[in-house]
């Protein structure tokens, strides 16, 4: 099966997605997600200018060789742009190989290890009644695990919280990034009470998650994790900036709240200390930002040796193609933990037609051969690229802080 064309499709149905579309001499079409939120065109250029020409004429079955060729052959390794580009190629090739075999991709990855993937949904509210309503809404939609984000008195706009009735989308279509404020002391004072109230209202069984979004120092995170122990979180996510693996030693030595990290990491090397020293409980990487299924599977196999489980990133900036890749991998591996599921805007379905399903709290990739996603090129053209930026954070005195 020889690769004939490799084309990069940039389209903005609801938000921007970058997709690699590979065709073969047998007429099959394989798709890979190359969406890097707020820096989309850098990956489109990496793929279109430097990678696509190298793919023409290669054997589409050579998934491992192509991965190594692009990774080692670039000389400049790792980094979000490189690894997202390689991921798109890897996932598109897996899609082709599975279609050629006439099987849903998970069957090639070892077959189903479970009936479906436990998914968590997002609930955010500026104040408690709003938050409680948002949780009830998610439960009514079928979610059986909920990520809880709350407003904080004195902080005007906050990660994960939006006006009621409007869908949360962190990237905004503005010419420059929106600026938000952050105050760790106000957050640390307020959040334990919120999680206590939610646990009290929804009972002991509901898995609750919370995302700190990289904002605390190690000692603050340690104290925070300890203060949340009575509310039995499923996980505390990104409590400190992920690139400092050693910081988790301090957090870990003070709290038994389970920790999840890694949505911004992109290589197995970013996980060596985290996994080797058992400093986390869940791996947040998605195939899209971590070199694809080939590379993430290696990370997760290493994690399995330490009883660390998957908790793949599934925000709207992972495209329907990237989401399908996550679901096939998650269904097949033994150490699956939970899958984030932030449904895309309805308009996204004009361009991407998917086979995955969500019922009774569980996601399933479906039984179509390959990934099970189709991209409508004519529809994609109707949604031309629209720039959008993630927000920037500032402390009360104006200092830039991690967003
Ligand atoms: C999460 C996230 C995201 C990110 C977004 C950045 O889902 O846990 O932290 O919503 O902010 O993916 O591109
Ligand atoms: Mg997160």
């Amino acid at each position: 099966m020889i690769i004939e064309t490799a084309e990069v499709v940039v389209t903005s149905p609801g938000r921007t997605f970058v997709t690699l579309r590979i065709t073969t001499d047998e007429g099959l079409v394989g798709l890979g997600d190359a969406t890097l939120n707020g820096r989309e065109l850098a990956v489109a250029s990496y793929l279109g200018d430097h990678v696509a020409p190298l793919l023409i004429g290669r054997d589409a079955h050579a998934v491992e060789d192509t991965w190594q060729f692009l990774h080692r052959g670039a000389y400049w390794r790792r980094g979000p742009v490189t690894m997202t580009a390689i991921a798109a190629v890897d996932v598109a090739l897996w899609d082709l190989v599975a279609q050629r075999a006439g099987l849903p991709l998970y069957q090639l990855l070892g077959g189903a290890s479970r009936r479906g993937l436990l998914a968590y949904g997002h609930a955010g509210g500026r104040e408690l009644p709003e938050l409680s309503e948002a949780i009830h809404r998610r439960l009514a939609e079928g979610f059986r695990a909920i990520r809880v984000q709350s407003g904080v008195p004195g902080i005007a706009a906050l990660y994960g919280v939006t006006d009621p009735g409007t869908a949360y989308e962190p990237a905004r279509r503005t010419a420059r990034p929106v600026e938000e404020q952050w105050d760790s002391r106000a957050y640390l004072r307020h959040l334990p009470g919120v999680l206590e109230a939610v646990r009290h209202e929804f009972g002991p069984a509901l898995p609750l998650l919370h995302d700190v979004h990289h904002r605390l120092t190690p000692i603050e995170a340690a104290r925070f994790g300890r203060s949340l122990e009575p509310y039995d979180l499923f996980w505390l996510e990104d409590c400190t900036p992920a690139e400092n693996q050693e910081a988790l030693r301090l957090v870990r030595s003070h709290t038994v709240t389970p920790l999840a990290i890694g949505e911004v990491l992109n290589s197995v090397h970013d996980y060596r200390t985290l996994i080797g020293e058992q400093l986390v409980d869940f791996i947040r990487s998605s195939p899209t930002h971590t070199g694809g299924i080939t590379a993430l599977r290696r990370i997760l196999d290493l994690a399995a040796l330490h009883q660390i489980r998957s908790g793949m990133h599934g925000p709207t900036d992972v495209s329907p193609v990237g989401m399908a890749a996550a679901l096939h991998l998650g269904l097949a591996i033994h150490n699956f933990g939970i899958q984030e599921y932030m449904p895309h805007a309805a308009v996204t379905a004009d361009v991407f037609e998917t086979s995955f399903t969500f019922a009774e709290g569980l996601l399933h990739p479906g039984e179509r051969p390959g990934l099970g996603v189709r991209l409508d090129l004519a529809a994609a053209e109707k949604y031309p690229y629209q720039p959008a930026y993630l927000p920037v954070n500032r402390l009360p005195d104006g200092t830039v802080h991690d967003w």
Side-chain angles (χ1 to χ4, degrees), residues 124-135 137 161-164:
R126 289 169 301 191
E127 287 176 11
L128 264 174
E130 218 172 87
L131 174 58
S132 158
E133 215 182 290
I135 298 173
R137 232 179 1 252
V161 180
T162 189
D163 292 340

Side-chain angles (χ1 to χ4, degrees), residues 159 211 213 237-238 263 284:
Y159 167 73
D211 189 352
H213 226 261
E237 176 181 341
D238 287 337
E263 67 184 47
R284 287 284 290 144

Side-chain angles (χ1 to χ4, degrees), residues 120 122 147 159 211-214 235 237-238 263 284 313 340:
Y120 72 89
H122 292 189
R147 189 190 79 167
Y159 167 73
D211 189 352
V212 183
H213 226 261
H214 327 274
W235 80 34
E237 176 181 341
D238 287 337
E263 67 184 47
R284 287 284 290 144
H313 197 203
E340 181 178 23

Side-chain angles (χ1 to χ4, degrees), residues 6-295:
E7 174 193 1
V8 182
V9 181
V10 180
T11 176
S12 299
R15 66 160 357 276
T16 299
F17 300 107
V18 179
T19 310
L20 179 67
R21 181 178 183 275
I22 296 181
T23 63
T24 70
D25 56 347
E26 297 176 353
L28 293 178
V29 178
L31 301 176
D33 179 20
T35 308
L36 187 63
N37 208 1
R39 296 292 185 270
E40 292 89 353
L41 298 185
V43 188
S45 159
Y46 191 112
L47 278 172
D49 295 333
H50 303 291
V51 172
L54 309 181
L55 297 176
I56 314 304
R58 288 183 71 87
D59 176 5
H61 276 112
V63 181
E64 178 69 30
D65 184 68
T66 301
W67 196 94
Q68 300 297 345
F69 179 83
L70 294 175
H71 187 248
R72 294 173 199 272
Y75 186 62
W76 310 106
R77 295 178 194 178
R78 305 167 65 179
V81 174
T82 296
M83 297 308 275
T84 302
I86 294 178
V89 177
D90 183 76
V91 168
L93 295 188
W94 275 115
D95 186 17
L96 287 166
V97 172
Q99 286 182 52
R100 177 76 198 294
L103 293 169
L105 176 53
Y106 73 84
Q107 297 288 16
L108 268 60
L109 302 175
S113 289
R114 55 194 54 78
R115 282 186 294 115
L117 294 82
L118 176 67
Y120 72 89
H122 292 189
R126 289 169 301 191
E127 287 176 11
L128 264 174
E130 218 172 87
L131 174 58
S132 158
E133 215 182 290
I135 298 173
H136 280 292
R137 232 179 1 252
R138 290 288 172 240
L139 293 174
E141 288 165 5
F143 283 99
R144 295 291 172 265
I146 309 283
R147 189 190 79 167
V148 173
Q149 303 297 133
S150 165
V152 171
I155 303 182
L158 204 49
Y159 167 73
V161 180
T162 189
D163 292 340
T166 57
Y168 174 68
E169 175 58 65
R172 320 274 168 75
R173 287 179 170 174
T174 47
R176 288 168 185 281
V178 165
E179 300 208 348
E180 295 184 345
Q181 308 147 1
W182 179 251
D183 180 341
S184 294
R185 283 177 59 78
Y187 170 81
L188 290 168
R189 275 197 306 275
H190 188 67
L191 257 289
V194 171
L195 288 160
E196 179 184 19
V198 170
R199 180 53 82 205
H200 181 74
E201 179 180 351
F202 291 90
L206 180 66
L208 297 175
L209 303 82
H210 178 68
D211 189 352
V212 183
H213 226 261
H214 327 274
R215 292 167 185 203
L216 298 177
T217 64
I219 198 69
E220 286 168 347
R223 184 180 131 210
F224 189 47
R226 184 185 278 185
S227 72
L228 300 181
E229 282 169 16
Y231 318 123
D232 186 24
L233 286 193
F234 186 92
W235 80 34
L236 184 65
E237 176 181 341
D238 287 337
C239 60
T240 52
E243 58 273 19
N244 184 0
Q245 299 185 48
E246 291 75 16
L248 275 290
R249 289 185 187 137
L250 190 138
V251 182
R252 201 53 151 182
S253 64
H254 290 285
T255 180
V256 293
T257 291
L259 303 175
I261 216 156
E263 67 184 47
V264 299
L265 302 182
N266 46 66
S267 157
V268 68
H269 300 286
D270 299 332
Y271 279 107
R272 282 157 69 120
T273 304
L274 291 173
I275 294 176
E277 295 183 23
Q278 194 96 40
L279 299 179
V280 289
D281 301 280
F282 296 92
I283 302 290
R284 287 284 290 144
S285 284
S286 64
T288 299
H289 301 126
T290 323
I293 286 172
T294 298

